[in-house]
Amino acid sequence: MSDSEPSFSIPHRPRRRYPRRGGVRYEGETIFRLSPSLDRSEERLVSLVTEILDDDPYTFGDWFDLPVPMYLVRDHDCDTTFRVVVRYGSVELHVLPDTRSSALRALYRRLAARSDVSWSVSCESKPDA
């Protein structure tokens, strides 16, 4: 567990755009990167993340054939959604337009409580163009 808990304050939210040719595109991004204090394999991090997401209050899915484990997560307690990506030895929380800080904080707390390491959190944010 970490001695000081991050606020997960969201500096910029992505904006959804719907191109005429179809689909959805996001402009801008905010990513919170959770890095364990000790190196953990991707397999171990994926196992930890899916173990947490298997519990209430989450519904999640991995519907795409992507080169990294990526989950669209619905937090029913906080009534919000966000993406979770495991790569480069860390767990990334990707903010969507309606993501609430409280949901990111709740997932961080569960991750810290179920692991045997402390976690550092960094935030990368780019406003839309």
Side-chain angles (χ1 to χ4, degrees):
M1 296 270 295
S2 174
D3 293 335
S4 61
E5 185 174 287
S7 72
F8 289 96
S9 175
I10 300 170
H12 299 285
R13 293 181 177 280
R15 294 177 56 170
R16 280 189 189 103
R17 298 284 187 221
Y18 301 95
R20 289 181 185 210
R21 61 187 175 277
V24 64
R25 188 172 143 225
Y26 290 96
E27 294 178 355
E29 68 179 355
T30 294
I31 300 169
F32 290 93
R33 183 166 286 111
L34 287 56
S35 302
S37 59
L38 299 173
D39 287 341
R40 296 290 185 245
S41 69
E42 182 176 298
E43 182 179 282
R44 193 166 174 185
L45 290 175
V46 168
S47 178
L48 177 62
V49 167
T50 56
E51 178 184 306
I52 291 167
L53 295 178
D54 277 337
D55 290 343
D56 285 336
Y58 301 111
T59 302
F60 73 102
D62 180 9
W63 296 287
F64 304 102
D65 185 21
L66 299 171
V68 297
M70 182 179 95
Y71 308 99
L72 180 61
V73 177
R74 174 89 180 143
D75 183 322
H76 296 282
D77 286 350
C78 296
D79 191 29
T80 194
T81 56
F82 53 95
R83 288 189 302 242
V84 176
V85 178
V86 178
R87 65 176 156 194
Y88 307 127
S90 65
V91 177
E92 298 175 355
L93 307 181
H94 291 243
V95 173
L96 295 174
D98 70 338
T99 300
R100 296 180 188 208
S101 294
S102 57
L104 303 177
R105 195 170 27 261
L107 183 64
Y108 167 81
R109 286 177 181 161
R110 288 179 176 98
L111 188 68
R114 288 213 185 157
S115 62
D116 59 349
V117 297
S118 59
W119 295 81
S120 63
V121 178
S122 62
C123 178
E124 300 171 19
S125 189
K126 300 174 196 160
D128 58 346

